[in-house]
Amino acid sequence: MLYSKLFGKTKKKVSQQFEAKSHELLTKAGFIDQVASGIFNFLTLGKKVLTKIENIIKEEMNALGAQEILMPSLHPKTLWQQTNRWDTVDVLFKTESQLGQEYAFAPTHEETVTPLAKKFIKSYKDLPLALYHITAKFRDEPRPKSGILRGREFGMKDLYSFHENKDDLKNFYQKVIDAYLKIFKRCGLSNIKITEASGGSFTKKFSHEFNVLTPAGEVDLLYCQKCSFAQNEEINQLKPGDSCPKCKGVLKKDRAIEVGNIFDLGTRFSEAFDLTYTDKKGKKQYPFMGCYGIGTTRLLGAIVEVSNDEKGIIWPFDISPYQVHLLGLDLKDKKVKNMSYNVYHQLLNHGIEILFDDREEVSAGEKFADADLIGIPIRLVISQKTGKKIEFKKRFEKTPLIIDFSELISKI
Ligand SMILES: [Zn+2]
């Protein structure tokens, strides 16, 4: 991609006040654009990152044996009345049609996935079943803040599983925990803290939350510095400095943001929709259900919260919008220009995702600042000074190397 053609450019000055670092950096670097409070456009760079995150999630969901489907965002009121959630979920985004029919913009999909599964689950042979989708979700937030960390409309992957019995659910539930840790690690987050908590208005059963430590977080978390153990501040007897009940590491307190959660739904929803299956003895039973969410846009924001410096974003390699950012300096010099375009095309031919700053009127300093702000992991520079060689620098390193083109591919 030529930077001159890229839709969405870096912004030097933004008049807005930002509550979260990720909101500021993603806006200034040209990844997102705010439509209204809690509602965002994703520009080319932002969409590329989001797609990469979604693809990682899909790979790990498919590896669990889950199947991808697509369910609607607009849910008739009757479905939510059937589960007694129309009036109890305080953030439910409600709307009315011209004919006076009421709908919810869904924040979660038990109300559609359960009646859907009911059409296909008949016997124990149809179980276990795991279905997921990635769609926009809606929350009627009174005061959305912190950019894409807490929006009115946001991206989410939600997975639902159906099982013959509680043991089978527990077994699958544990596999999802492992899959989630893999997903977060592949997205560059290895320091995930897992809390056990009650599920609030969603369910009375137990649940687990996956948290990223960041000052922009919304909850106080007491966590172990050695293992993944964590507890929400307000519900526990432990305090900072105590030893971890799991590994004897020292507990510390910090702000955190939740990027994923999983719930044991029991038979609450299968009972509400009278979803049954016939067991091996010919008896009707309610399947046990689990639900498993990851906020995709929130995850993107959380990654930026923990992966940045004073100059800008530092993308983990696997989710960066491009792998390489090539800066052509002194492009009015024909030799430099030819070599820059030559390197650009050769890297493209090798299947490398590359952003080429091809602007001729922009100073070197401005190009370096933009590259640091956008945060692509590898920066290459070709200029009068580098001659026939190429300057190579990783985003998180201070000192560049000067290398030959022949070394370049293996280094990337
Ligand atoms: Zn521990």
Side-chain angles (χ1 to χ4, degrees):
M1 169 65 77
L2 299 176
Y3 188 81
S4 61
K5 306 276 185 223
L6 179 71
F7 177 69
K9 296 283 195 282
T10 58
K11 290 178 182 172
K12 297 282 160 320
K13 284 201 173 69
V14 184
S15 57
Q16 201 176 346
Q17 291 288 314
F18 297 100
E19 283 191 59
K21 191 84 190 157
S22 57
H23 190 187
E24 178 179 356
L25 289 175
L26 289 167
T27 302
K28 287 185 174 169
F31 285 71
I32 61 171
D33 166 77
Q34 185 164 311
V35 177
S37 185
I39 307 172
F40 291 88
N41 288 313
F42 276 70
L43 311 184
T44 305
L45 291 174
K47 179 66 172 77
K48 281 179 91 71
V49 177
L50 191 58
T51 300
K52 289 191 175 188
I53 291 173
E54 289 174 353
N55 286 343
I56 288 173
I57 293 174
K58 284 182 190 185
E59 281 174 26
E60 298 300 338
M61 291 298 104
N62 296 342
L64 284 170
Q67 298 179 48
E68 188 181 13
I69 58 170
L70 181 59
M71 292 180 281
S73 293
L74 206 53
H75 290 188
K77 179 181 181 179
T78 47
L79 291 175
W80 282 73
Q81 283 176 318
Q82 214 160 328
T83 56
N84 280 326
R85 295 210 287 184
W86 181 260
D87 293 312
T88 53
V89 176
D90 55 356
V91 292
L92 193 61
F93 220 119
K94 296 168 185 171
T95 189
E96 198 179 306
S97 77
Q98 297 186 56
L99 302 174
Q101 290 146 334
E102 290 180 276
Y103 295 88
F105 287 109
T108 180
H109 279 72
E110 286 85 354
E111 274 75 2
T112 50
V113 80
T114 317
L116 173 66
K118 188 181 169 170
K119 292 174 185 167
F120 297 93
I121 293 175
K122 302 295 172 203
S123 104
Y124 69 92
K125 289 175 190 162
D126 300 318
L127 298 172
L129 174 67
L131 303 170
Y132 76 96
H133 70 167
I134 300 177
T135 55
K137 300 285 188 293
F138 300 84
R139 287 171 63 92
D140 197 354
E141 292 278 354
R143 279 173 299 280
K145 54 171 192 173
S146 308
I148 58 169
L149 293 179
R150 195 168 194 84
R152 288 195 164 110
E153 176 176 344
F154 51 96
M156 190 168 159
K157 181 281 304 175
D158 39 337
L159 162 72
Y160 303 89
S161 69
F162 303 83
H163 307 267
E164 276 186 72
N165 52 51
K166 202 151 192 148
D167 281 346
D168 196 55
L169 167 62
K170 270 187 186 163
N171 189 16
F172 185 77
Y173 190 98
Q174 187 55 50
K175 283 185 189 162
V176 178
I177 292 182
D178 297 340
Y180 270 33
L181 291 175
K182 260 193 223 167
I183 289 166
F184 296 131
K185 197 171 178 193
R186 289 180 66 185
C187 291
L189 298 170
S190 48
N191 193 19
I192 289 284
K193 300 297 175 190
I194 304 177
T195 53
E196 272 182 46
S198 78
S201 60
F202 283 88
T203 167
K204 287 195 180 87
K205 308 265 175 173
F206 69 86
S207 69
H208 288 80
E209 293 171 350
F210 297 76
N211 301 278
V212 175
L213 298 169
T214 160
E218 56 198 340
V219 289
D220 277 322
L221 210 66
L222 197 63
Y223 65 93
C224 175
Q225 290 174 282
K226 272 172 78 181
C227 73
S228 66
F229 174 83
Q231 279 190 338
N232 282 321
E233 243 281 297
E234 70 273 20
I235 57 159
N236 70 80
Q237 313 285 315
L238 297 163
K239 52 185 191 307
D242 285 355
S243 65
C244 167
K246 282 201 173 152
C247 79
K248 304 292 170 206
V250 180
L251 296 183
K252 208 182 162 207
K253 189 177 108 172
D254 269 315
R255 302 290 282 173
I257 184 157
E258 179 196 315
V259 288
N261 53 39
I262 60 179
F263 299 98
D264 156 24
L265 298 174
T267 57
R268 181 190 183 316
F269 291 92
S270 42
E271 285 184 45
F273 288 101
D274 196 31
L275 158 63
T276 60
Y277 71 94
T278 310
D279 72 8
K280 284 172 188 143
K281 292 173 183 159
K283 205 178 148 206
K284 292 238 184 255
Q285 304 274 10
Y286 292 116
F288 284 80
M289 287 174 59
C291 120
Y292 319 83
I294 291 180
T296 51
T297 47
R298 172 181 276 212
L299 177 57
L300 192 158
I303 292 163
V304 176
E305 285 296 329
V306 299
S307 195
N308 68 71
D309 63 12
E310 71 286 352
K311 291 176 178 171
I313 304 169
I314 304 174
W315 289 109
F317 195 82
D318 288 346
I319 59 161
S320 177
Y322 295 92
Q323 295 155 346
V324 171
H325 197 161
L326 170 64
L327 310 189
L329 311 182
D330 318 314
L331 286 176
K332 286 178 178 161
D333 179 326
K334 269 231 161 92
K335 266 189 196 159
V336 176
K337 188 170 181 172
N338 286 343
M339 173 155 166
S340 300
Y341 276 89
N342 192 14
V343 167
Y344 173 59
H345 288 292
Q346 293 215 44
L347 291 179
L348 280 181
N349 289 342
H350 275 87
I352 290 163
E353 296 170 298
I354 175 167
L355 181 64
F356 172 27
D357 194 337
D358 60 327
R359 295 173 295 175
E360 290 189 11
E361 308 300 329
V362 171
S363 73
E366 208 173 317
K367 289 191 176 190
F368 285 127
D370 279 349
D372 283 337
L373 179 59
I374 293 169
I376 292 168
I378 294 170
R379 189 190 78 190
L380 303 179
V381 177
I382 297 173
S383 66
Q384 284 172 335
K385 205 173 107 193
T386 60
K388 286 185 175 161
K389 303 219 172 195
I390 299 166
E391 185 189 293
F392 176 102
K393 189 181 92 66
K394 291 188 180 159
R395 173 63 180 83
F396 58 84
E397 288 175 347
K398 289 245 177 325
T399 322
L401 301 170
I402 303 294
I403 58 170
D404 286 319
F405 181 76
S406 57
E407 297 170 73
L408 190 56
I409 301 295
S410 65
K411 271 194 129 18
I412 296 168

